[in-house]
């Protein structure tokens, strides 16, 4: 039993399985001594113990290390459409249907009898007011600021959107445009920026399932703790089921892992490094939950750095050729991911089709060059400055081991704060920095659409570390006109992926799965995109926020890993 459990959790292949079994058997034996009895294993949270109504003292604590402002915004705000992990990448929210009248006109029917968090009604005039403010100061990381012309009220619950020209990404953008109360708009307006727009202060300003009660997160600024309270006016009857959510936006990774695995009541949900899977399975308080995702680990090469060594394409290519993704996937990712020839997740439906027949740089190099002498000659003596969140150091140790074989040395700048990464990245074009590689947890904030990574190739954007590339800019401009999943769209995606591959604009690593530790007394299915549907989460009567007395010993027995496909 225990050997099967370890095999499932670790994803270890047979050549190293026998060695590691001995180690984990001893670790499990120690755990059994702590429990003072042979371990038995649970399969899932007991649904019979779930609390199906909201209880005032219900409370969970969550750590969100990447784009917390975006996750929080989806919890506190409403929009016409909402991110989804379906094929389209979006679902209806405040809108309930639409009609595409012509290539530049869309008519949306709105939900009726909906109220903002302060009790004021939501209707077509609310949409018109919000988009009037949006047009004055939109976000600019897509092309919506050049395409949206006007919004027209047709009746109390019908609006028409008029575009200047066709725009294939329109629906994905609508899922990122928050709708606020008049009071909020009069105070703050709509503040488009390099990180979009998020609620600037606590208050009953939105339409989402939770009210921003304390703290804030806007991307480049955030409090370390954010508190949310259930919205009594939320349109999905009976939801959310949990009254209070505390969100941590900045925690050292080691502290987060220790809190979610070995302490009760400190942290309930956290993304964890892949090398912490075994500890999570054996935790008395947490269960291991994994699933394929469309998230990305984006490793920027800094081509803006004056006299930077990575301006040399041969070195960028050689660094990618030196990466053995299969070994990374096996020994570093613990098989929680997929081999990827592209910087974009291979789980994007469009990218999956675009990369058919493509090999990674490393695979292609080893097919042609049985000797590593060429790479040694190119890379020996190269010294790179790497900026990363501490949550990715498990990956960088694996990369470093591989690159050292070719004479590459790495200097690290490590932080637990994403906003520090943003400061180094988003000011890099106007004031180039000394970093060579910057690693960002680029969760799929755009919804099953490769623009999540493609936007970093747009040299007019602060998010790009590419100096210039006219060919790529033309391809991106073409993409704006094309509807998702059409043959034309798929062909353009293929060309963009190939261009980025040929130019080696990123250090490409395997596409990651989502790997989380979740309290055993929480029933919650994560999403494969960058939305955390905690309005659907439920807790049991044995959760620390509801339970009277000590946590039962039998409840502390390990869970089998829970894998969603």
């Amino acid at each position: 039993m225990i050997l099967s459990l370890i095999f499932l959790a670790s994803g270890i292949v047979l050549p190293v399985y026998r060695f590691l079994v001995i180690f984990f058997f001893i670790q499990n034996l120690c755990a059994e001594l702590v429990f003072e009895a042979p371990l038995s294993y649970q399969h899932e949270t007991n649904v019979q113990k779930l609390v199906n109504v909201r209880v005032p003292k219900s409370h969970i604590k969550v750590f969100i290390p990447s784009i917390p402002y975006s996750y929080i915004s989806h919890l506190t705000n409403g929009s016409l459409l909402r991110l989804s992990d379906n094929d389209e990448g979006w679902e209806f929210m405040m809108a309930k249907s639409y009609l595409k009248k012509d290539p530049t006109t869309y008519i949306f029917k709105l939900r009726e009898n909906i109220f903002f968090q302060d009790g004021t009604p939501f209707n077509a005039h609310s949409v018109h007011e919000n988009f009037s403010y949006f047009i004055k100061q939109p976000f600019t990381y897509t092309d919506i600021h050049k395409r949206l012309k006007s919004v027209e009220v047709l009746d109390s619950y019908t609006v028409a959107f008029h575009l200047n020209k066709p725009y294939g990404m329109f629906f994905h953008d609508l899922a990122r445009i928050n709708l606020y109360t008049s009071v909020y708009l009069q105070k703050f307006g709509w503040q488009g920026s390099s990180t979009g727009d998020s609620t600037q202060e606590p208050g009953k300003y939105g339409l989402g399932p939770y009210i921003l009660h304390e703290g804030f997160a806007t991307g480049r600024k955030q409090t370390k703790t954010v508190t949310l309270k259930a919205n009594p006016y939320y349109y999905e009857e009976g939801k959310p089921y949990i009254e209070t959510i505390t969100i941590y936006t900045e925690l050292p990774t080691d502290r987060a892992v220790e809190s979610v695995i070995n302490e009760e009541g400190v942290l309930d949900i956290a993304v964890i490094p892949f090398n912490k899977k075994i500890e999570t399975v054996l935790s008395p308080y947490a269960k291991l939950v994994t699933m394929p995702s469309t998230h990305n680990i984006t490793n920027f090469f800094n081509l803006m750095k004056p006299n930077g060594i990575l301006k040399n394409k041969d070195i960028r290519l050689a660094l990618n050729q030196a990466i053995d993704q299969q070994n990374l996937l096996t020994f570093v990712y613990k098989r929680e991911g997929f081999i990827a020839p592209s910087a974009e997740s291979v789980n994007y439906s469009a990218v999956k089709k675009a990369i058919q027949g493509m090999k990674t740089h490393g695979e292609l190099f080893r097919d042609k060059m049985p000797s590593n002498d060429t790479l040694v000659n190119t890379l020996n003596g190269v010294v790179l400055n790497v900026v990363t969140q501490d949550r990715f150091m498990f990956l960088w140790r694996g990369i470093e081991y591989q690159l050292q074989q070719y004479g590459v040395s790495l200097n690290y700048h490590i932080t637990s704060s994403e906003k520090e990464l943003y400061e180094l990245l988003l000011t890099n074009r106007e004031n180039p920095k000394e970093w060579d590689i910057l690693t960002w947890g680029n969760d799929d904030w755009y919804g099953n659409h490769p623009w999540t990574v493609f936007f970093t190739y747009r040299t007019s954007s602060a998010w790009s570390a590419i100096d210039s590339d006219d060919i790529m800019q033309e391809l991106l401009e073409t993409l704006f006109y094309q509807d998702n999943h059409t043959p034309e769209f798929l062909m353009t995606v293929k060309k963009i992926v190939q261009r980025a591959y040929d130019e080696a604009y990123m250090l490409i690593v395997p596409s990651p799965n989502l790997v989380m530790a979740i309290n055993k007394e929480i029933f919650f299915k994560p999403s494969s995109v960058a939305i955390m549907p905690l309005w659907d989460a439920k807790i049991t009567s044995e959760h620390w926020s509801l339970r009277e007395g000590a946590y039962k010993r039998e409840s502390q027995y390990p869970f089998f890993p829970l894998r969603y496909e």
Side-chain angles (χ1 to χ4, degrees):
M1 180 72 76
I2 180 61
L3 302 186
S4 299
L5 176 66
I6 292 167
F7 183 80
L8 284 170
S10 63
I12 296 168
V13 292
L14 290 175
V16 294
Y17 173 59
R18 186 175 302 170
F19 170 78
L20 290 175
V21 159
I22 299 172
F23 170 77
F24 291 124
F25 176 78
I26 294 172
Q27 185 175 10
N28 185 71
L29 179 61
C30 293
E32 291 184 355
L33 290 174
V34 171
F35 287 113
E36 299 177 348
L39 289 181
S40 58
Y41 299 95
Q42 306 176 73
H43 286 272
E44 180 47 284
T45 300
N46 188 343
V47 295
Q48 295 179 346
K49 296 189 295 180
L50 290 176
V51 179
N52 295 309
V53 295
R54 188 163 65 246
V55 178
K57 65 177 184 178
S58 56
H59 185 183
I60 62 172
K61 300 178 181 180
V62 183
F63 174 43
I64 305 179
S66 291
I67 55 173
Y69 58 95
S70 184
Y71 283 98
I72 292 169
S73 183
H74 288 302
L75 287 167
T76 59
N77 293 305
S79 46
L80 293 180
L81 307 176
R82 177 164 64 189
L83 279 188
S84 172
D85 50 15
N86 60 26
D87 287 342
E88 294 298 330
W90 57 267
E91 63 186 11
F92 289 111
M93 192 179 183
M94 293 300 109
K96 63 180 182 180
S97 65
Y98 81 95
L99 170 67
K100 186 176 181 179
K101 189 175 180 180
D102 59 54
T104 59
T105 307
Y106 294 81
I107 297 173
F108 286 86
K109 289 288 186 180
L110 308 177
R111 297 186 188 275
E112 301 179 17
N113 300 315
I114 302 297
F115 298 90
F116 284 97
Q117 293 163 350
D118 65 355
T120 56
F122 165 80
N123 52 40
H125 297 286
S126 309
V127 175
H128 181 270
E129 181 182 29
N130 270 271
F131 277 88
S132 295
Y133 277 95
F134 173 81
I135 289 171
K136 294 175 184 176
Q137 193 173 353
F139 54 67
T140 57
Y141 51 74
T142 66
D143 214 43
I144 187 70
H145 58 296
K146 297 180 181 178
R147 309 265 169 167
L148 180 58
K149 180 180 180 181
S150 64
V151 178
E152 177 186 5
V153 174
L154 301 183
D155 62 42
S156 295
Y157 295 100
T158 310
V159 292
F161 284 81
H162 302 285
L163 307 182
N164 291 309
K165 44 190 172 182
Y167 187 39
M169 292 160 50
F170 181 49
F171 282 19
H172 289 269
D173 281 353
L174 288 181
R176 297 198 57 78
I177 299 176
N178 300 328
L179 302 171
Y180 298 108
T181 63
S182 293
V183 171
Y184 180 87
L185 291 170
Q186 291 166 14
K187 187 173 185 179
F188 294 103
W190 215 99
Q191 299 190 24
S193 70
S194 55
T195 55
D197 175 82
S198 298
T199 310
Q200 302 291 313
E201 70 174 17
K204 299 177 181 181
Y205 296 132
L207 289 159
Y210 283 93
I211 297 167
L212 185 61
H213 182 68
E214 292 179 341
F216 70 96
T218 61
R220 295 176 73 173
K221 295 181 180 180
Q222 62 193 26
T223 54
K224 292 184 179 181
T225 304
V226 173
T227 303
L228 311 181
K229 292 287 187 179
N231 172 18
Y233 292 105
Y234 184 54
Y235 75 96
E236 291 187 278
E237 187 176 355
K239 298 179 182 180
Y241 299 103
I242 297 168
E243 177 65 27
T244 304
I245 300 176
T246 298
I247 294 177
Y248 299 98
T249 63
E250 299 177 31
L251 281 176
T253 295
D254 290 346
R255 178 61 187 140
V257 171
E258 175 68 17
S259 298
V260 74
I261 291 176
N262 294 322
E263 301 173 22
E264 189 185 25
V266 179
L267 197 59
D268 291 289
I269 299 175
V271 176
I272 60 170
F274 302 156
N275 61 348
K276 298 299 180 181
K277 290 167 58 178
I278 293 297
E279 291 94 325
T280 304
V281 171
L282 295 176
S283 165
Y285 307 114
K287 58 189 174 186
L288 176 68
V289 178
T290 68
M291 66 188 307
S293 77
T294 43
H295 297 334
N296 312 270
I297 300 176
T298 299
N299 297 303
F300 294 87
F301 282 152
N302 190 1
L303 275 63
M304 301 302 300
K305 180 179 178 180
N307 302 314
I309 195 169
L310 295 182
K311 286 181 176 291
N312 185 333
K313 186 169 79 170
D314 289 341
I315 291 179
R316 301 198 305 270
L317 285 168
L319 288 168
N320 276 291
Q321 290 164 347
I323 297 297
D324 186 330
Q325 285 202 29
Q326 184 60 63
N327 280 347
L328 284 182
L329 186 63
T330 300
F331 299 108
V332 176
Y333 280 59
K334 311 302 181 187
R335 306 201 68 79
E336 292 294 350
F338 300 86
I339 299 294
S342 62
E344 301 75 25
S345 172
V346 297
N347 290 320
Y348 290 122
S349 55
V351 174
K352 187 175 295 185
K353 295 174 182 176
I355 64 168
Q356 288 182 5
M358 285 183 69
K359 294 184 176 182
T360 69
H361 288 97
E363 290 171 328
L364 198 60
F365 175 80
R366 280 178 279 278
D367 285 349
K368 296 180 178 179
M369 299 280 190
S371 169
N372 291 329
D373 291 347
T374 302
L375 290 183
V376 173
N377 292 337
T378 303
L379 295 176
N380 189 41
V382 168
V383 179
L384 300 172
N385 297 324
V386 176
V387 177
T388 181
Q389 278 180 281
D390 56 354
R391 63 179 293 227
F392 293 117
M393 280 308 298
F394 80 98
L395 170 59
W396 270 106
R397 293 307 182 195
I399 294 173
E400 183 176 31
Y401 175 79
Q402 294 190 2
L403 294 182
Q404 281 178 340
Q405 300 176 57
Y406 305 98
V408 177
S409 300
L410 304 178
N411 298 320
Y412 293 107
H413 177 104
I414 305 169
T415 179
S416 59
S417 172
E418 186 183 59
K419 68 183 182 182
E420 187 174 346
L421 295 185
Y422 282 1
E423 193 60 32
L424 291 170
L425 174 62
L426 297 179
T427 60
N428 186 54
R429 293 197 74 80
E430 62 186 50
N431 182 22
K433 304 298 185 290
E434 286 301 308
W435 58 266
D436 297 296
I437 304 176
L438 185 147
T439 299
W440 175 40
N442 185 6
D443 290 1
D444 182 15
W445 50 268
Y446 208 55
N448 197 17
H449 192 296
W451 186 254
T452 306
V453 177
F454 285 177
F455 88 119
T456 66
Y457 305 144
R458 197 181 190 192
T459 54
S460 61
S461 168
W463 290 93
S464 180
I466 300 169
D467 46 2
S468 64
D469 185 339
D470 291 342
I471 294 174
M472 180 67 86
Q473 306 320 299
E474 290 178 10
L475 290 171
L476 296 174
E477 186 67 25
T478 300
L479 187 76
F480 291 143
Y481 285 91
Q482 297 168 339
D483 290 335
N484 203 359
H485 303 307
T486 62
E488 296 79 14
F489 172 82
L490 295 174
M491 180 56 67
T492 303
V493 167
K494 184 178 179 65
K495 290 179 180 178
I496 293 171
V497 168
Q498 188 67 53
R499 177 67 179 176
Y501 178 94
D502 292 343
E503 295 299 313
Y505 283 140
M506 305 275 188
L507 183 67
I508 302 173
V509 295
S511 301
N513 284 352
L514 179 63
V515 179
M516 304 184 80
I518 299 179
N519 185 282
K520 292 175 181 176
E521 304 304 327
I522 297 177
F523 189 82
F524 169 62
K525 181 182 178 181
S527 173
S528 61
V529 300
I531 191 168
M532 195 171 283
L534 292 171
W535 56 89
D536 289 329
K538 296 180 180 181
I539 60 176
T540 76
S541 56
E542 294 298 312
H543 187 261
W544 61 266
S545 69
L546 301 183
R547 188 185 71 243
E548 299 290 342
Y551 195 37
K552 294 177 181 178
R553 180 61 60 88
E554 56 268 27
S555 297
Q556 299 181 39
Y557 291 158
F559 272 52
F560 275 96
L562 180 60
R563 298 188 184 278
Y564 291 105
E565 297 298 333

